[in-house]
Amino acid sequence: MIDLSRTIALSMNRTTFAMLLAAALMVSCGSPEPPEEAAPDADAASAPAPEVALPPRKPSPEGARVWFVSPGDGAGLTSPFTVEFGLEGMKLLPAGEIGENTGHHHLLVNTPLPRMDLPIITDDAHMHFGLAQTNVELSLAPGTYTLQLLLGDDLHIPHEPPVMSEVITVEVTN
């Protein structure tokens, strides 16, 4: 059987593929309201939502782990500051590149863990390091922040079991 997601991922740019995957997931979930011209169907309202076929989560090897090389938990920092990521038991590959026991870093800032069965979203709270980077210089406004690392596979989906760091808290001052 052909793995269509891998075939598509290899033939197009990673950002385009991620956007198409997200759009397909949204379309397959249906719209929250029926179109205005359609009358509600009593049987349809009680029918279960269609199941979305998600790609399987890739396995992570036993003992794989990520951590913050720096800063440490409770650190007082001035902005900008460097965050270094550590990884053991797996290798880094850029997003979109497929390999066994591989992934790339995602930095979660002031946010809980995302759903583990979907690609990690990209926004200010979910930073992607899809070029296999191992550090970043962050500029954050003064305040208290929680940081957590989460490894994602070639499609930005967390592994099974997830490879994630402990949550650390840092204080950013002027």
Side-chain angles (χ1 to χ4, degrees), residues 3 6 11 18 20 27 46 58 68 70 73 79 91 110 113 115-116 145-146 153 162:
D3 184 346
R6 291 196 191 285
S11 65
L20 287 174
V27 167
S46 63
K58 293 178 180 65
F68 290 99
S70 67
D73 188 32
S79 205
K91 294 182 180 173
N110 282 353
L113 288 168
R115 280 187 53 175
M116 294 292 153
Y145 295 88
T146 60
D153 67 13

Side-chain angles (χ1 to χ4, degrees), residues 43-82:
D43 291 336
S46 63
E51 289 192 29
V52 176
L54 299 172
R57 291 173 62 193
K58 293 178 180 65
S60 61
E62 188 174 333
R65 67 186 192 103
V66 295
W67 70 93
F68 290 99
V69 174
S70 67
D73 188 32
L77 306 165
T78 57
S79 205
F81 59 94
T82 300

